[in-house]
Amino acid sequence: MYRTALRNVRAYKGRLLMTMLAVLLGTAFVAGTLIFSDSVEQSVKDGVSESHSRASVEVTDTAVITDPDSGAGQNTGARSPLTESTVRRIAALPGARSARGTVTGFAGLSDPHGDLIGSRGNTWGANWVPAAGGQDPEYPMAQGTGPTSAGMIAIDQRTASDNGFKVGDTVRAAVNGPVLKMTVTGIFTTDDPQVRAGGSLVLFDTATAQRLYLEPGRYDSIQVVATPGTSQDELRAEILPVVPHSGNITVKTGARLDADTAAKARSGMSGMRNVLLAFAGIALFVGVFLIANTFTMLIAQRTRELALLRAIGASRRQITNSVLLEALFVGVCASVAGLVTGVGIGAALQGLMGSMGSQVSTRTLVVSPTTVLVTLLTGTMVTALATLLPALRASRVAPVAAMRGIDTPATRKSLVVRNSIGVALTGVGLALVLWGAARGGSPGNLLVAGGAVSTLVGVFVLTPALGRPAIALAGPLCTRLFGISGTLARQNAVRNPRRTAATASALTVGITLISALTVLGASVTHAIDKQVTQNMRADYAVSALLSLPVAPTLLPEIARTPGVAAYSALDDQRLRSGGKDLPVTGVDAKSFDQLIVPTMVSGSTAALRQGEILVDQDHVANDGWTVGSTVPVTYPDGSSGRLTVGGVYQNSEVLGSVLMSRSVLSPHTTAPFYSTVLVKGATGPTASLQQALKDSTGDNPLITVRTKQQMRDHFSSQINLLLDAMYALLALSVIIAALGVVNTLAMAVLERKREIGMLRAVGLSRGAVRRMVRLESVLIASFGAALGIAIGSFLAWAGVRLLRSAMTGLTTVFPYTQLAAYVAGAALVGLLAALWPARRAARLNVLDSIRTD
């Protein structure tokens, strides 16, 4: 029996090719995801570990630098208690060989064409700290000297080489204020992990770096090197008493920094890895339909062979094991090929992330034993499980069937049982989805998720019953447009409902998810677009890239721009109230009504000019606030106060949670954080005013000036970027579904070889035969797509109902044109998938086909 199984694999290798390709694609995605995530973790760990290797202990102010463990956090500009005296006290400790105060933050360099280098946020600035010999051991100079005064800058060797910078050149740099014209005094080498991964680093003298990022005489961290014989823990114990006592000051050893970095790398990659593995699972799930369909048809074609084996003594167990052995062989071979392909995918993803400015080194590629084992087991088990039902059917072939030469059709009872199960599962699923959508919250999410799974499974079970009437609806149109070819195509499509259902269901999975994402994306985009339109009177929004704040020094320049009628900087701060963070936005109360129009539920925007606050409806629901309520708060500078609620407005993604006058907020903040500056033109939006505003910022490569339409496009682009990434991942499932269509039609042509020969003998032309096969494929694909769109749209409607509490004005929007395009696209996929099977059918020899027994 084992020899028989291997012989069958060799005999049907062409027919099993599509099945192997489907398993290969799915397992390659699994392997590539695991290799990519493991490689990124190792790359980040190695890179940051090397950067920490020279520091025995690091003292960091976490209120100043947002990601202290990686050493690459954005400087917030807050006041740091780490001063020059702190550095001197630490350096004087018995266990300290040296102490180095550092200042870091984002620094945007313009390339020779005026574009921003490191547009993804990987261009950083730091301070140059020369030792007694006049050189900084952290950044040895390859050419020139380090910066010693304002107007000087040093650039890392890779960035200088890539952009043609030389010592003596003048470069344009921006932190978040006006553009700085700096002279390159030196080019240095560094093993900084960001630079090694494709980023850039520039050095200022310490005084300039402090002025740009903090305040004169202050540092965001201090790196300490231990004397020989002093352990990291001993040095840390010496440092603790001499550092400022603040909840924001951390003192960590180099070993602890490495451990924290490793943990952050794992945590940061877990989300992406889970998402990629989920899409790999979808691809493999779609592949299950192809595998099961292929083996079902192969077994149907081998009915006589299997019956003869039973007649000469083969047991049912032997028949089942023989078919499963074929599947295992296919699964193992495809999984090995998928593993090899996955190595290439992992390397390609590394290169892509590196080119986008991520801290990913392409020199580290990790293929762990776990990855190899998971990939091989996944592909093999999926193939075996998909083949289990066809194998059991094969074992039930009666020996007497050897004399009939035909497969025993499904009994009416089995179809009734199947349809009854499908109706029950679908009904339960629909009820759960409706219940969850009405209930909302976390329980509603679980109900909708469970109902979605039940509905999908139920529809898959019902697909044979749904396929016949659905495809029959297209019958008159096919006959009218394509004559006898259309009629035959419709009849062939419904001849074997189970096979049609399995082929269409593979496409249904992908289209369901794609259409659900499309409806959700269109609904969210419409809601945000409506909020921008209704809540904004401003003509322009001036903001900085990479979530940086707009520098306070730019506000007078914007105010003096000809044509500006009103402006207001939005100062995003966090207060504390009732033991919780309270995000607030400070606005100019005098110009507020000219720039922003919140949809008021109660109270008035005039309350801002009286020093009161406006809050959204969430605080009314969650905290019980109403107009006139008094709210105790703690400001960022530590002072306390009480604020009065002067108005309540509808929730808005654009406006934030709480609005208050900047004149009340500013005296109690440590530093402003102007996320956006809204501008109203005296004569409305004009191209000349937009350019004038850009010029007023010194043509800063970090600053953008957006119109209201561009604001809408900006919000929409973030959603569209996420959708595009998901579409790209789901494309794999559609490709596998298309392979299933090719495989089904190719084997159906072989099954119907004699029938096609008879049709040719009675006068059907080659072109009509090709048209018949292509139309059959188009009908199956269109049916699968239409079913997917119906399910996906329903699930998206439920998702919108769940999200309504989190986003005001969210309603379900069906982009009918786009959904119709999916059906047309699926029909095109079906047409392309049928090209080879149709050509093969048309080229069958008439006499040989008729002779087929």
Side-chain angles (χ1 to χ4, degrees), residues 372-662:
V372 175
L373 184 62
V374 168
T375 302
L376 296 179
L377 284 178
T378 299
T380 304
M381 291 180 63
V382 165
T383 309
L385 289 174
T387 317
L388 183 59
L389 187 57
L392 292 174
R393 287 178 181 168
S395 68
R396 295 192 177 99
V397 175
V400 73
M403 294 178 286
R404 293 205 304 264
I406 57 173
D407 187 25
T408 304
T411 64
R412 182 178 182 84
K413 179 181 178 182
S414 67
L415 293 176
V416 170
V417 171
R418 174 173 180 150
N419 292 340
S420 300
I421 294 174
V423 168
L425 287 172
T426 304
V428 170
L430 293 175
L432 288 175
V433 170
L434 293 173
W435 184 17
R439 184 171 182 179
S442 297
N445 293 338
L446 294 175
L447 289 170
V448 169
V453 173
S454 180
T455 301
L456 277 172
V457 174
V459 170
F460 291 155
V461 175
L462 277 176
T463 302
L466 298 173
R468 185 180 295 274
I471 294 176
L473 292 175
L477 181 62
C478 290
T479 302
R480 187 177 301 112
L481 294 178
F482 304 103
I484 188 63
S485 295
T487 301
L488 292 172
R490 179 186 61 80
Q491 293 174 350
N492 289 332
V494 298
R495 175 185 296 183
N496 191 328
R498 292 176 184 268
R499 183 182 306 170
T500 298
T503 306
S505 295
L507 194 58
T508 298
V509 175
I511 298 298
T512 294
L513 296 173
I514 290 174
S515 58
L517 289 173
T518 300
V519 174
L520 282 172
S523 301
V524 173
T525 299
H526 178 263
I528 292 177
D529 181 80
K530 186 167 64 173
Q531 288 181 16
V532 172
T533 303
Q534 292 179 349
N535 298 149
M536 285 290 176
R537 282 181 179 163
D539 295 319
Y540 298 101
V542 182
S543 58
L545 298 174
L546 311 171
S547 300
L548 293 169
V550 177
T553 55
L554 293 180
L555 295 187
E557 301 297 328
I558 292 173
R560 285 194 293 266
T561 302
V564 172
Y567 79 98
S568 174
L570 305 185
D571 188 6
D572 291 343
Q573 299 287 339
R574 284 190 176 274
L575 282 59
R576 296 283 294 175
S577 178
K580 299 183 295 184
D581 279 343
L582 180 66
V584 302
T585 300
V587 298
D588 186 298
K590 295 179 180 178
S591 60
F592 180 82
D593 290 331
Q594 300 179 62
L595 301 167
I596 303 174
V597 191
T599 305
M600 300 302 295
V601 177
S602 59
S604 168
T605 58
L608 288 173
R609 292 192 291 273
Q610 301 169 13
E612 298 176 342
I613 61 174
L614 305 180
V615 301
D616 64 13
Q617 288 176 301
D618 276 348
H619 289 290
V620 173
N622 299 332
D623 300 317
W625 296 353
T626 60
V627 174
S629 297
T630 301
V631 182
V633 297
T634 302
Y635 291 102
D637 65 353
S639 61
S640 300
R642 302 184 73 85
L643 297 172
T644 302
V645 177
V648 178
Y649 58 90
Q650 286 186 0
N651 295 345
S652 172
E653 301 300 312
V654 177
L655 301 182
S657 301
V658 179
L659 300 173
M660 65 184 299
S661 173
R662 212 167 61 240

Side-chain angles (χ1 to χ4, degrees), residues 98-122:
S98 64
R100 167 196 179 94
T102 62
V103 183
T104 57
F106 179 79
L109 278 179
S110 293
D111 64 17
H113 304 289
D115 297 324
L116 179 66
I117 297 174
S119 58
R120 295 291 178 181
N122 63 347

